[in-house]
Amino acid sequence: MTPAPGGGPRPRLLACDLDGTLLDSRGRLTEPVSAALFRARDAGLALAVITARPGRDVPAAVTGRIPDSAYWAYSNGAVIHAPGEAGPRRVLGFAPDRVPQLLEAVRAASPHWSCALDLMDRTVILDPFPRAAATHWTNVSHCCGADRLDLPGPVPKLLVHTGTGCGPAVVAEVQRAVGATATATASGGGFVELVPPGTGKAEALRWLCAELGVDPAEAVAVGDGLNDLSMLHLAGLGAAPANAPEEVRRAAGLVLPSNDEDAVGALIGLLLADRRP
């Protein structure tokens, strides 16, 4: 583990990515990490989980083992839930009338690319998006084409299946295709993720800091994906687990053990040790 840079403000907010960071490689929230989150809460740290998943795809086995004081930011931060509130506090997304233009830009870039849309209540896959890729998603519907879409409200996120992975070069290729109409990123797996300009994990963290009266310099962010880079740069301390790709590890001020070695538990241990008188 590399040492954290010293001399910064005492942390007041811990913002964590979910997959590959809080969860191990089998998708589990381990007991040491869960226990560490409760210790952090008891020590007065505000907590937030900022994930690319929509809320419906985070199982109760995970949410039930995270302190109920935590904020949850879904779909790369487009949908934010405050503790104890039934509905979201903030919802951002692509306006329904802009989505066809975005889908057309993706189709025009490559006949092999296809899209799925994360809506508030379901995920819609558009031909020829591979249905097998949506096997483990919750509440999935199928649509033959963009002209048949019925979008009741903002679309928090689009997924682009390129068939070639989602490394930095592929993300850049999708970004060129959509231009300024969307921001392309990736959180792992086989999809490039599109969010509206001005949104993303950094903006979610900025919103959370304003909500809590915390300066971003007093925030610690930890994540393993390309979509985490912006919040790692914004926070006073950005950390990455050892399983993160090289680009993310290079951007982090602190490199932790891997997610299979309870990375966030190790981070909390360091933060709480620093808080002792």
Side-chain angles (χ1 to χ4, degrees), residues 145-175:
D147 58 335
R148 298 178 179 235
L149 280 173
D150 179 18
L151 301 175
V155 178
K157 188 178 70 171
L158 273 70
L159 299 167
V160 181
H161 182 267
T162 66
T164 54
C166 56
V170 177
V171 171
E173 188 179 359
V174 175
Q175 185 67 72

Side-chain angles (χ1 to χ4, degrees), residues 186-265:
S187 59
F191 312 111
V192 176
E193 299 168 349
L194 297 177
V195 297
T199 64
K201 291 197 176 187
E203 290 308 312
L205 179 56
R206 202 183 305 277
W207 185 93
L208 289 163
C209 286
E211 171 82 1
L212 294 164
V214 171
D215 190 289
E218 299 172 305
V220 176
V222 54
D224 74 307
L226 297 178
N227 63 337
D228 296 311
L229 285 171
S230 62
M231 74 171 181
L232 299 189
H233 289 303
L234 176 64
L237 174 62
N243 53 283
E246 182 182 355
E247 300 92 331
V248 180
R249 297 196 310 273
R250 282 202 310 263
L254 176 64
V255 177
L256 302 161
S258 76
N259 62 328
D260 284 331
E261 300 170 296
D262 303 325
V264 174

Side-chain angles (χ1 to χ4, degrees), residues 10-244:
R10 172 173 275 197
R12 296 175 56 198
L13 167 63
L14 174 60
C16 302
D17 169 54
L18 189 63
D19 292 282
T21 303
L22 270 175
L23 304 185
D24 67 13
S25 58
R26 296 174 62 185
R28 303 173 304 179
L29 183 67
T30 66
E31 178 56 36
V33 172
S34 177
L37 290 169
F38 281 90
R39 289 197 302 274
R41 178 204 63 184
D42 294 344
L45 271 175
L47 300 172
V49 182
I50 307 180
T51 176
R53 294 197 201 192
R56 60 187 171 275
D57 283 341
V58 182
V62 172
T63 58
R65 304 185 68 208
I66 290 175
D68 58 12
S69 61
Y71 282 77
W72 281 83
Y74 301 108
S75 297
N76 282 328
V79 180
I80 300 181
H81 286 254
E85 296 184 5
R89 180 78 65 87
R90 185 181 85 150
V91 178
L92 300 175
F94 296 104
D97 62 352
R98 300 301 300 274
V99 171
Q101 172 191 355
L102 192 56
L103 295 173
E104 180 56 35
V106 171
R107 280 196 300 268
S110 173
H112 304 295
W113 293 358
S114 56
C115 290
L117 285 67
D118 267 345
L119 310 185
M120 289 296 294
D121 62 341
R122 67 193 187 279
T123 299
V124 179
I125 61 175
L126 298 169
D127 285 338
F129 193 92
R131 298 195 189 194
T135 301
H136 301 294
W137 298 347
T138 303
N139 201 9
V140 176
S141 62
H142 170 255
C143 185
C144 296
D147 58 335
R148 298 178 179 235
L149 280 173
D150 179 18
L151 301 175
V155 178
K157 188 178 70 171
L158 273 70
L159 299 167
V160 181
H161 182 267
T162 66
T164 54
C166 56
V170 177
V171 171
E173 188 179 359
V174 175
Q175 185 67 72
R176 287 191 293 272
V178 298
T181 60
T183 298
T185 185
S187 59
F191 312 111
V192 176
E193 299 168 349
L194 297 177
V195 297
T199 64
K201 291 197 176 187
E203 290 308 312
L205 179 56
R206 202 183 305 277
W207 185 93
L208 289 163
C209 286
E211 171 82 1
L212 294 164
V214 171
D215 190 289
E218 299 172 305
V220 176
V222 54
D224 74 307
L226 297 178
N227 63 337
D228 296 311
L229 285 171
S230 62
M231 74 171 181
L232 299 189
H233 289 303
L234 176 64
L237 174 62
N243 53 283

